[in-house]
Amino acid sequence: MATQRTDVVIVGVGAAGAILAAELASAGMRVIALERGPRHVQADFKALDELRFFQRQDTRPNVKRQPVTWRPNANARATPLRVLNYGNQAGGGTVHYGAVSWRFHEDDFRARSQTVERYGAKAVPGDSSLADWPLSYAELEPYYDKAEYDLGVSGKAGNLNGSIVEGGNPFEAPRKREFPLPPLRADQSGLLFEEAAKRIGYKPFASPHAIISQDYKGRAACTYCGFCQGFGCYNGAKSSTLVTHLPQADATGNFKLITLAMVYRVNSDNSGRATGVSYWGPDGSDNTIEAEIVILAPFVFDNTRLLLLSKTAKFPNGLANSSGQVGKHFMAHVAARVYAAFDDRYVNNYMGPNAQKHSFDEFNGDNFDHKDAGFIRGSNIAVATAGLEGGPIASAMGLVPPPGTPTWGAAYRDFFAKYFARHLVLLSETENLPYTDHTIDLDPDVKDAWGLPAPRVTYDWHRPNEVKQVAFMQEKLVELGRAMGAAHVWRAPLSGGQPGPHPQGGTRMGSNPRASVVNKYSQSWDVPNLFIVGSSTNPSMSGFNPTLTIQALAYVTADAIANRYRKSPGPLA
Amino acid sequence: MSKTDEGRRAFLVGAVAGAAAGAGAVATAALVSDSQPPATPEGGLDPLSAAARQGAFLNAADAETVAAIAERIMPGAPGKPGATEAGVLNYIDLALAGAYTDLQEFYRHGLAALETHCRQTYSETFAKLAPAQQDETIASLEDGKVESFTWPAARAFFETLRTHTMEGMFADPVYGGNKDFAGWNLVGFPGVQLIFTPAELESRQAFTRSPVAGLQSKARSV
């Protein structure tokens, strides 16, 4: 058993943890980070191998070793989810993600107030725990800006200081300056989307990506190889924190990364202070890091799990859980998808970055009048690939043939041979509302490879608001597919109820210590030297992908620790 | 030659063929014919045909069944390579001895249940059924309506076989299937292309720049 002492210990170096490591080590603090997975080098991603990285999920958690279970309601028995779409290495999910990098809308930070002001209090479903965030878009803007420039995000401004700019997203929140890099090139699916969306009256644009469209900070530009979402980037053009922030942390001399380390407990003393963390090494060794500040930055599920596993006599319901809110308000996107296939042209959708290549934003957030819609909030609408990426395995698994065409046999073969390179996918990711009974807790039956209880999700997206949202978006996607001139337009099957992309919640932030787990600095209300970061803190979720917001919030936390907490430890709020 | 040696030899044939596929069909043929003397056919199969590349995990009878299922899931036709031509059996056999060892019992039980069903229904093994009867049987699996299945469930067995057939069709040839890029050529996928140019991204035509490239040819060239 080894014990080390440090100023800061960080659990997980993904989208958020790596930023905190770089920022705090740069500010002169001694930082030790613990990572469950390995630290890859770029050469590990030279193999553009769809079987290994997409199909066998080599950069994502092994579902047998690290299960997450799901049940639709509290009366059902949970079973392990078959695919886990988060990272399992230094750099976390930013290694394999599609790198779509949105700023949330202004009203995403005040979804309850916005809804009540515009539609009345009754418009918020009575069973939803929808809440405003404890910070505004304006407060977060400088941190979004820093994240975009530090990472290298490619895009086109749609709103510069309140002036709408042609070619960008006119619904975006005002930004102080342009993106650091111009948008990625549109491929055929993007061009088709652009032309059709314009024709039916929308304002399409190239989605912002943390993929560099030109050489940037010593890294080479994207080459559009298409082995993108699900893969580590072979030339480092994807702005994962593995290539952006971890090298920065290394250069300080104050940073130490311990890989293959499974943190199983946050330690705390009788005064209510966190003293560090305990972890098992790859050799089974039991080790402890003692630290002045503990930062939890694993994926959503493990923030809740670690707090529940760290209960003590002083914290009998789990660490940092005097509010009883830990594990509550779990959310995820519902991916409603429509396929469009062409007889008179090729699309070659396996080329280029895969995720949400082109978008329009008319039906996201509160960008349209919901008065007669029967639901609140919305979704980004984009063009994408049938799987995480557009290669033949992902397409064979994700392109479900239209009604009347089988999934195997000669008719399937002919369908797939004809349309593999002639199809695209229209995608909406609808915003779930938070509900108190959508939870993460500890599975009483299923254990992980270390013998710890698996995180268990209780969740079913089939709530009236969400069902109407999804049906509405499917109609819009069908309309768009027809406007593209596709010979065949049909709907993909929806998930049976299990969580879709971008899980969030479990340790929500708020302004009331009795109704939230952390304050706007992601600092625990109960344990002031414990910071819990990542999308687990999101009180509501937006119809946008969450990663850039996770990263902006990590900068908020780093700034608060380096410039305020360090001088005067204690509650920041 | 003992059974074990047979298996090892067949494994090596598969591995060599898979490894060399990236360098092109000519090299593959040369390697196999130079290094492998003709062996005694087992179970009536030609050991050097794609369908016979097995022996790492599956026994001859099970291999015959798996090859037959895969061929009905992705049947070949003139100009349209199917599972047999792509070497899907070789892919599945190697995977079950490697990355998918945890599915060995799944396959054993599933294949046994399938044979029980076929003997009861048709008094014949699956591999010897007429294609229409094989399709009828696979459709029953897909519908989950085969009583001889308990674990795995019939539907799960179908889904796994479909998934593994697609992997064998479309995974890089280093894994033992997609022989000579049969699967990629079928659908028009160009394999590992490190760069697509602006003109290529914007083209409405089929992408035809050659060569189609696999992992190992790339590894040598990088």
Side-chain angles (χ1 to χ4, degrees):
Chain A
M1 169 155 171
T3 298
Q4 299 184 63
R5 275 208 61 78
T6 186
D7 298 331
V8 180
V9 64
I10 301 176
V11 179
V13 282
I19 287 174
L20 280 148
E23 289 291 301
L24 298 179
S26 297
M29 302 176 86
R30 291 175 306 145
V31 177
I32 295 179
L34 301 167
E35 170 54 50
R36 178 157 65 183
R39 179 173 185 165
H40 290 294
V41 295
Q42 202 165 304
D44 292 334
F45 304 129
K46 290 283 184 200
L48 304 186
D49 182 347
E50 193 185 18
L51 183 73
R52 174 178 167 193
F53 290 108
F54 166 76
Q55 181 72 351
R56 295 181 178 170
Q57 303 157 39
D58 202 43
T59 60
R60 291 174 274 162
N62 179 312
V63 295
K64 294 197 170 76
R65 280 177 57 78
Q66 298 168 212
V68 175
T69 66
W70 166 75
R71 57 182 184 169
N73 59 68
N75 299 318
R77 195 171 148 271
T79 52
L81 292 168
R82 288 161 74 174
V83 176
L84 296 174
N85 270 339
Y86 60 97
N88 195 52
Q89 61 271 314
T94 67
V95 171
H96 82 266
Y97 77 154
V100 183
S101 286
W102 303 106
R103 297 179 177 202
F104 284 3
H105 305 101
E106 290 177 293
D107 66 59
D108 287 330
F109 294 91
R110 52 189 305 277
R112 174 172 280 276
S113 294
Q114 172 79 12
T115 303
V116 170
E117 286 163 15
R118 194 165 175 189
Y119 310 109
K122 282 190 184 144
V124 180
D127 55 351
S128 172
S129 49
L130 186 63
D132 290 353
W133 293 47
L135 80 175
S136 66
Y137 170 78
E139 284 175 81
L140 204 51
E141 202 281 338
Y143 301 97
Y144 272 132
D145 181 276
K146 184 165 172 55
E148 287 172 348
Y149 275 76
D150 282 1
L151 290 162
V153 176
S154 302
K156 172 77 190 143
N159 182 339
L160 268 177
N161 295 301
S163 300
I164 303 302
V165 181
E166 186 76 14
N169 176 11
F171 296 96
E172 81 169 343
R175 55 173 59 247
K176 290 275 195 305
R177 56 175 169 164
E178 252 297 357
F179 284 90
L181 291 153
L184 293 162
R185 283 181 178 282
D187 58 18
Q188 272 299 299
S189 70
L191 294 172
L192 268 163
F193 183 98
E194 169 98 12
E195 198 265 330
K198 272 188 180 154
R199 184 142 33 80
I200 54 178
Y202 304 127
K203 295 190 173 67
F205 56 92
S207 311
H209 285 84
I211 298 170
I212 53 176
S213 56
Q214 300 172 349
D215 294 357
Y216 190 70
K217 295 192 173 182
R219 291 189 287 128
C222 174
T223 62
Y224 299 87
C225 73
F227 291 81
C228 190
Q229 190 166 219
F231 303 85
C233 181
Y234 86 94
N235 77 334
K238 192 191 290 183
S239 302
S240 82
T241 57
L242 179 64
V243 300
T244 57
H245 289 76
L246 286 178
Q248 184 192 337
D250 291 335
T252 64
N254 295 326
F255 174 62
K256 177 175 172 182
L257 175 63
I258 302 174
T259 56
L260 307 181
M262 179 63 186
V263 175
Y264 63 89
R265 190 177 62 226
V266 180
N267 300 312
S268 59
D269 63 21
N270 289 331
S271 74
R273 199 173 163 284
T275 57
V277 301
S278 291
Y279 71 96
W280 291 307
D283 56 352
S285 60
D286 191 347
N287 311 284
T288 298
I289 308 285
E290 294 175 352
E292 296 301 316
I293 296 172
V294 176
I295 299 174
L296 303 186
F299 196 64
V300 171
F301 306 116
D302 277 310
N303 267 343
T304 286
R305 179 165 79 152
L306 259 179
L307 295 173
L308 296 179
L309 287 172
S310 302
K311 67 182 181 185
T312 63
K314 185 169 177 62
F315 299 105
N317 298 319
L319 191 63
N321 192 23
S322 70
S323 65
Q325 294 295 308
V326 170
K328 301 240 166 79
H329 321 290
F330 177 83
M331 304 165 282
H333 281 135
V334 182
R337 306 186 304 155
V338 162
Y339 304 112
F342 298 81
D343 285 342
D344 59 349
R345 63 179 298 157
Y346 283 79
V347 183
N348 301 327
N349 203 16
Y350 51 81
M351 296 180 183
N354 321 118
Q356 288 151 273
K357 299 169 180 230
H358 239 68
S359 296
F360 65 78
D361 208 30
E362 270 77 356
F363 300 109
N364 205 351
D366 202 31
N367 294 346
F368 67 109
D369 188 348
H370 290 69
K371 187 159 58 68
D372 301 315
F375 64 90
I376 59 170
R377 312 308 297 165
S379 172
N380 171 246
I381 286 179
V383 61
T385 48
L388 291 177
E389 40 90 20
I393 299 177
S395 301
M397 306 311 295
L399 175 61
V400 180
T405 303
T407 61
W408 57 278
Y412 174 76
R413 175 203 63 209
D414 291 345
F415 162 79
F416 194 55
K418 177 167 184 186
Y419 291 113
F420 164 73
R422 295 167 175 264
H423 82 278
L424 53 80
V425 178
L426 300 170
L427 169 73
S428 72
E429 296 184 334
T430 62
E431 173 182 344
N432 274 186
L433 300 181
Y435 300 95
T436 307
D437 59 354
H438 282 172
T439 61
I440 305 167
D441 65 357
L442 302 179
D443 195 296
D445 304 314
V446 179
K447 304 254 188 295
D448 68 13
W450 295 267
L452 299 172
R456 176 177 66 176
V457 175
T458 303
Y459 167 92
D460 183 350
W461 64 266
H462 292 94
R463 300 274 184 154
N465 192 76
E466 280 71 0
V467 169
K468 285 182 203 149
Q469 251 181 354
V470 166
F472 178 92
M473 297 304 164
Q474 283 178 316
E475 289 295 324
K476 300 298 175 195
L477 299 178
V478 168
E479 177 195 24
L480 182 62
R482 298 223 167 98
M484 287 178 166
H488 311 280
V489 178
W490 71 104
R491 294 166 190 219
L494 293 163
S495 98
Q498 62 267 49
H502 313 133
Q504 294 168 51
T507 66
R508 69 172 10 185
M509 63 166 59
S511 41
N512 178 355
R514 288 185 302 282
S516 56
V517 178
V518 297
N519 62 27
K520 66 180 174 182
Y521 307 100
S522 300
Q523 179 187 38
S524 160
W525 292 112
D526 295 345
V527 184
N529 71 331
L530 175 65
F531 293 80
I532 305 159
V533 305
S535 66
S536 66
T537 65
N538 293 4
S540 67
M541 74 179 298
S542 168
F544 278 147
N545 313 42
T547 302
L548 191 72
T549 300
I550 293 168
Q551 295 176 313
L553 288 169
Y555 279 110
V556 170
T557 302
D559 185 16
I561 291 174
N563 297 314
R564 294 177 53 202
Y565 181 94
R566 187 154 54 143
K567 290 171 196 146
S568 169
L572 287 161
Chain B
M1 201 182 261
S2 73
K3 272 280 182 199
T4 315
D5 287 336
E6 277 289 327
R8 196 170 292 142
R9 185 197 55 75
F11 175 86
L12 288 172
V13 172
V16 167
V26 177
T28 307
L31 270 170
V32 171
S33 58
D34 287 356
S35 59
Q36 299 301 329
T40 311
E42 193 181 351
L45 294 167
D46 170 7
L48 294 184
S49 77
R53 287 217 185 85
Q54 135 279 330
F57 172 70
L58 296 165
N59 65 35
D62 285 348
E64 210 177 2
T65 310
V66 167
I69 297 171
E71 179 63 15
R72 292 319 299 161
I73 289 175
M74 282 298 268
K80 298 171 180 176
T84 302
E85 204 174 328
V88 167
L89 170 63
N90 186 51
Y91 165 79
I92 293 177
D93 187 52
L94 293 176
L96 287 172
Y100 297 158
T101 46
D102 60 335
L103 290 174
Q104 290 179 353
E105 288 307 311
F106 182 99
Y107 264 80
R108 280 196 183 101
H109 281 254
L111 290 168
L114 179 67
E115 286 313 313
T116 300
H117 170 78
C118 290
R119 285 186 189 284
Q120 283 171 353
T121 310
Y122 305 107
S123 304
E124 193 51 273
T125 64
F126 181 88
K128 297 215 162 45
L129 298 179
Q133 292 171 319
Q134 290 179 330
D135 286 355
E136 184 179 76
T137 304
I138 295 173
S140 303
L141 293 173
E142 186 181 17
D143 292 341
K145 288 181 186 150
V146 183
E147 284 180 7
S148 59
F149 278 78
T150 49
W151 182 85
R155 168 95 196 169
F157 187 67
F158 163 78
E159 285 179 355
T160 300
L161 262 296
R162 182 192 184 274
T163 297
H164 290 178
T165 298
M166 296 305 162
E167 291 175 359
M169 288 294 299
F170 300 118
D172 192 279
V174 290
Y175 293 100
N178 191 13
K179 184 174 183 295
D180 301 335
F181 307 123
W184 291 354
N185 289 333
L186 175 70
V187 301
F189 180 65
V192 178
Q193 304 289 336
L194 293 181
I195 296 170
F196 288 115
T197 66
E200 288 163 352
L201 288 171
E202 291 173 11
S203 169
R204 301 167 59 131
Q205 306 304 315
F207 179 82
T208 54
R209 164 157 57 90
S210 57
V212 172
L215 288 173
Q216 297 205 323
S217 58
K218 280 290 172 199
R220 279 192 292 276
S221 68
V222 167

